[in-house]
Amino acid sequence: MDLNFVSLPQTTINVVYSSVDLPQLQSPYLICGFPGTGYVGKIAIDHLIQELNAKRLADIYSSSFPDQIMIRTDGVAELIKNTIFYSKASNSSSNDVILLTGDSQAISPESEYLLAEQILDISAKFNTKKVFTLAASVTGVFVDKPRVFGTATNSDIVRTFSEKNILTMNSGSVVGMNGLIIGIAKLRGMQGTCLLGETSGYVVDAKASKSILERLLSVVDIKVDLTDLEKKVKDTEMLIQTIQQQVAERALQGQQPGVLRKPDIGYIA
Amino acid sequence: MDLNFVSLPQTTINVVYSSVDLPQLQSPYLICGFPGTGYVGKIAIDHLIQELNAKRLADIYSSSFPDQIMIRTDGVAELIKNTIFYSKASNSSSNDVILLTGDSQAISPESEYLLAEQILDISAKFNTKKVFTLAASVTGVFVDKPRVFGTATNSDIVRTFSEKNILTMNSGSVVGMNGLIIGIAKLRGMQGTCLLGETSGYVVDAKASKSILERLLSVVDIKVDLTDLEKKVKDTEMLIQTIQQQVAERALQGQQPGVLRKPDIGYIA
Amino acid sequence: MDLNFVSLPQTTINVVYSSVDLPQLQSPYLICGFPGTGYVGKIAIDHLIQELNAKRLADIYSSSFPDQIMIRTDGVAELIKNTIFYSKASNSSSNDVILLTGDSQAISPESEYLLAEQILDISAKFNTKKVFTLAASVTGVFVDKPRVFGTATNSDIVRTFSEKNILTMNSGSVVGMNGLIIGIAKLRGMQGTCLLGETSGYVVDAKASKSILERLLSVVDIKVDLTDLEKKVKDTEMLIQTIQQQVAERALQGQQPGVLRKPDIGYIA
Amino acid sequence: MDLNFVSLPQTTINVVYSSVDLPQLQSPYLICGFPGTGYVGKIAIDHLIQELNAKRLADIYSSSFPDQIMIRTDGVAELIKNTIFYSKASNSSSNDVILLTGDSQAISPESEYLLAEQILDISAKFNTKKVFTLAASVTGVFVDKPRVFGTATNSDIVRTFSEKNILTMNSGSVVGMNGLIIGIAKLRGMQGTCLLGETSGYVVDAKASKSILERLLSVVDIKVDLTDLEKKVKDTEMLIQTIQQQVAERALQGQQPGVLRKPDIGYIA
């Protein structure tokens, strides 16, 4: 064996904590909003982080993220990362939360499993018992009131869906981190819930984000102001209106309606 | 070297046993029915599990399965997994069996090798000497009586094929888990047999499943009731009849017969 | 577990130092010019290595490079590699430098992270504090005076760009080693700068190389003769002129201007 | 960290020696003939193994080979493997040899590096100093007398090419195992030579095999009977004649000559 060769794993993950002293959290809920179709989950979690004035707990870097640095508006570049925030409950009857957002999901199915393990490792340090992921259910059509679908790792959670205005999924699958996080959570004795906001898939959809966030807040019994999110909902509605007018005009002119194109969304999916 | 980086393997496998105490099994046969073309092997193994009233031994989770959770009809979601069942022989002249079924095969050739190793590791705990895999031989045509082909790791097994109405393959290869499991078994001093049921490749083919199951039962000297499987065979026959009528009608109308499309089969292959 | 099986990592890196005794360097700048579009960075670094009469420090071999040997003009073949050179400052007010050039970048995003880690490990042995990568900004058009864009890991570096005639990027990303090297450098407490030379993407562009090299030399306060590089700039200008004439002639003849084809460039990108 | 999860490397290699006692070999040459275009190298090595009556030293199995078992004509199936044979010199002035042949090359660039390392590890047990790989140089045209090209890891080897009727390559690269084996050999202080037989790429080309084998035998100073190989050369010539006649007939009929199709070759490349 050639001793000069350094053996390397294919994947590395680097968790950089913001402080040496971890905060004291009481079995916080873990709530994850990964970038994905329509940025439904990410917009919801980013709003939650903002309104709860959540604090940065740790940055997660990984060789399983895209091989890029992201350039901020001030010219400073940073490796692609996921970030975990936390917020302590404002009163004893409420719940502490850990909130995950990020620039990107992992680039391969295998590395998604590994990243999910790491996120749950971090959460386990605080004795997390319940995990939520915020996802999109892509339908291809615009709707006025996006429905929210749900699946969970335990039947007692599923039974509570109807009273929270969440439609229970009864077939299919949830692909990617939103599924893996709750699936692996179950193997570790945690309970997992995935909420999916109905979205067309054509636009960044703050409307679907608001729908799932409302249901989530009801489930976890947390109150936050939604004013800023409602402004984004208005943006979404105007964008949809513009698209629908263009489609209608083409139809009037006897043209093919054409294929709706996804807008350039600036995030990395 | 940056000490903050956690080195991770590319692949993890998690075997969750149903009980701390492993059952007492006498050199059980390992019989594997992975999902694949026509679900020939999986339908056969699932029928065997049902009729033998087999007990759950272990669930196998792996980062080399697709990055999904599967949603059951009751709304509860589970990670994609393979499951091993076992059944003790009803009398001392018969054989104990270990039965493998699953939602999916591994997603890459390399991880298929690793999964095959793990399955054989589990089986080796019980001193398994003989391994069987149930596969499909895809022909592109519908047949009335599906033939069963076979290959094995040892020539003395091959010599017994003709008396069991199994046609010996003499060229080609078996791709995927059905091949790897018996190939690696041989390296460990076990004997492996792969039975392949003739199937069109266009339908979920319980008829081919019954053909290989009959040959397998003859080889391993186990008796099970086939009534429920025969009901599924009827479904397969009706589906094939419907397809053949449609093709004939198009031919009468002078149309191109078109390409047969695979039906949507609900499983993950 | 089968003990005959040798477990192997997916990736290996082999660093072969030119001498057992490492040179004495004073916090040298690390400057990287990887092969990429237009060979903008590689031509610049190769010129620097030549003019500084830099000495070979180490060759880096890796299983994450393409599976090839490169044949030299004398018939001798060598594994694809990256090579690190060094040059000690000619006077005490100047800076020592470590210079990286290579035949190829790594073949996958994950192995690019690992290679970047190794390069920074080597550089860290000499207490490197500042890292520079030389990249291309592909525009699809020919320009007379290629602009130079920049991004950095720290805002105090970004603030110096304007006085060095470097345009600050304020969005987008830098993909590949040029981004990862400075992104990971920041995690290790080093400062990173990426300079990107404007290039059409159609030709090996020594003109863009000269633009970034001039800015780099100004930033790192090193002087080198540019005569040889200016000869290559003339080659680039003649090549561009030829292409533009051909396009103009086709336009005169009423033909489609056609798609500009990348020239065969002899390097491995 | 979840202790239930078993961490697995992505790649495993299993070397099964034919005997516990390794043979006594005196710095044997390692000669490799991997399956590749025209099976030029594999036909040559297989002929050498036959004529030297070489003995099986070891089988190499790896998760980086295709996920298949190969079925022999007698119905027995085996994992895809590479096999190393050895032959002791018939007299003291000649050389011992280690000969590598196989069903397949590894499936990814990274695993080719790892496999090459393992093959050289085995060879190093016997103090091998010189390594040869037998490859194809694909030209797209049929030739009467296939030329043999060469490249080597050391210039003193290259200097001997002309007296052996080997044309020295002076640019380009050798892709795959034939390149990696000699490239890595050099890093370990061994000398490597790659001989490439000129072949059309359209047929299994025993004629090119004979050309490189003749040059190799001259270089390593070994004599073997070529009668059986010459029979295969006749088969190749007849196949080429048939193809050329068909092309000529189509030309006479005013048809497009069409694209030459590779014949179905029965091996796994």
Side-chain angles (χ1 to χ4, degrees), chain B residues 9-14 110 112-114 151-153 155 158 169-176 179-180 182-183 187, chain D residues 4-11 14 61-79 107:
Chain B
Q10 188 66 1
T11 302
T12 56
I13 291 187
N14 187 353
E110 296 222 314
E112 286 187 307
Y113 274 92
L114 300 175
T151 183
T153 57
S155 55
V158 172
M169 295 179 77
N170 59 10
S171 68
S173 61
V174 179
V175 179
L180 292 187
I182 68 165
L187 290 187
Chain D
N4 288 322
F5 266 85
V6 179
S7 293
L8 299 169
Q10 188 65 1
T11 301
N14 187 354
Y61 301 92
S62 173
S63 62
S64 69
F65 288 138
D67 55 332
Q68 299 178 19
I69 46 171
M70 305 294 287
I71 301 171
R72 299 191 321 220
T73 52
D74 65 354
V76 173
E78 286 188 293
L79 277 183
I107 55 171

Side-chain angles (χ1 to χ4, degrees), chain A residues 208-221:
Chain A
S209 300
K210 183 170 167 250
S211 291
I212 50 169
L213 190 53
E214 285 170 341
R215 303 307 193 287
L216 174 75
L217 293 173
S218 159
V219 169
V220 300
D221 198 20

Side-chain angles (χ1 to χ4, degrees), chain B residues 137-162:
Chain B
S137 173
V138 183
T139 60
V141 293
F142 295 117
V143 290
D144 213 43
K145 289 183 193 305
R147 290 175 295 174
V148 173
F149 302 93
T151 183
T153 57
N154 301 70
S155 55
D156 53 336
I157 299 177
V158 172
R159 273 193 292 274
T160 67
F161 281 169
S162 61

